[in-house]
Amino acid sequence: MRPLSLPLALTARLSPVVVLAVSGWALTSGPADTSAAGPKDEQRTGTQSASAPATSAASKTYAAAPAPCDAVAEKSVKSLVPGAKTAGKEIPSTDSKLRRTCSWNALKGYDYRWLDVSYEIMESDEAAQKSYKETVTEKSGGGAVPGLGDSAYSVVNLTTEDKQQTREGVVVALVSNALVTITYNGSDFESKKAPSTDEINKGAIKAAKEAVAVLEDGPKS
């Protein structure tokens, strides 16, 4: 059997997760106008008032990311990533409260599969919506996934390196102030072909549905 070597793009997939801290903000109102008193022989009708500075708290449904390695059922891992350890491997994060990612990958025979599940908790719903829109714009060419979270988007791309094809699907789901991102890809090192678009897309969406359900069933702020 000829030795197998993974394409550089696959062997370099594991990288430190950078957490972007999103700052909240406060809206402050200044003192209200005051009215002067009327003449001495008239009843005073004006009032003098001042409002203290007020802070508007940003809406925040989720305070922390759930355990990503529990996001996908064991039977789903076995189906999507044959030969992988079902426990998965969590990638170190600079702030595991806000961003957590788990990976599964395996080479069974000549078939290679990789699955990532990532949770990112933003400071507010508005911040999460902004990040979601930016991601959808950046990863153009896909389409909406109905019935998943508040909004969800799926895109599949094919790449070729040294005549070896790899097809990768990405699903991003917006759930209140959280983003759930699934990355699922595969290659066949014997035929040098990639799995079909339908297989990769359905696999990524399946993992996304399970991961979103775990988030929604978990603790709220």
Side-chain angles (χ1 to χ4, degrees):
M1 180 184 295
R2 58 184 174 84
L4 298 177
S5 61
L6 301 182
L8 180 61
L10 294 179
T11 57
R13 288 260 305 144
L14 199 59
S15 60
V17 178
V18 179
V19 176
L20 300 179
V22 182
S23 300
W25 60 88
L27 301 179
T28 305
S29 61
D33 291 337
T34 58
S35 57
K40 294 181 179 181
D41 59 345
E42 294 180 1
Q43 182 178 3
R44 181 172 175 171
T45 59
T47 60
Q48 186 174 9
S49 64
S51 60
T55 301
S56 177
S59 58
K60 191 173 182 180
T61 302
Y62 302 101
C69 292
D70 295 334
V72 182
E74 287 190 7
K75 64 179 182 179
S76 297
V77 173
K78 292 178 179 179
S79 172
L80 297 173
V81 193
K85 294 181 179 180
T86 55
K89 181 179 180 181
E90 185 161 356
I91 298 174
S93 172
T94 55
D95 191 339
S96 59
K97 183 178 180 181
L98 299 179
R99 175 72 179 265
R100 299 181 71 177
T101 300
C102 187
S103 290
W104 296 262
N105 64 87
L107 179 65
K108 186 173 183 180
Y110 291 97
D111 288 328
Y112 178 80
R113 294 292 185 276
W114 184 297
L115 173 67
D116 278 354
V117 174
S118 175
Y119 291 109
E120 184 172 8
I121 305 302
M122 312 294 284
E123 187 63 28
S124 66
D125 289 8
E126 292 75 15
Q129 290 168 3
K130 180 180 178 181
S131 181
Y132 174 80
K133 290 178 181 178
E134 290 173 349
T135 300
V136 170
T137 300
E138 178 185 350
K139 299 181 181 297
S140 60
V145 183
L148 182 60
D150 299 329
S151 297
Y153 177 81
S154 174
V155 62
V156 178
N157 289 307
L158 177 67
T159 59
T160 303
E161 183 181 334
D162 297 330
K163 299 182 180 180
Q164 173 64 60
Q165 293 182 344
T166 299
R167 184 166 273 117
E168 180 172 279
V170 176
V171 176
V172 183
L174 171 67
V175 187
S176 299
N177 65 307
L179 291 178
V180 181
T181 303
I182 306 298
T183 304
Y184 181 51
N185 65 46
S187 303
D188 184 325
F189 293 117
E190 183 174 35
S191 67
K192 290 190 175 296
K193 300 296 184 182
S196 68
T197 298
D198 189 59
E199 177 183 344
I200 293 297
N201 191 48
K202 286 183 176 179
I205 292 175
K206 176 180 176 63
K209 288 181 177 180
E210 294 186 17
V212 167
V214 167
L215 174 69
E216 292 178 333
D217 291 342
K220 309 295 191 296
S221 297

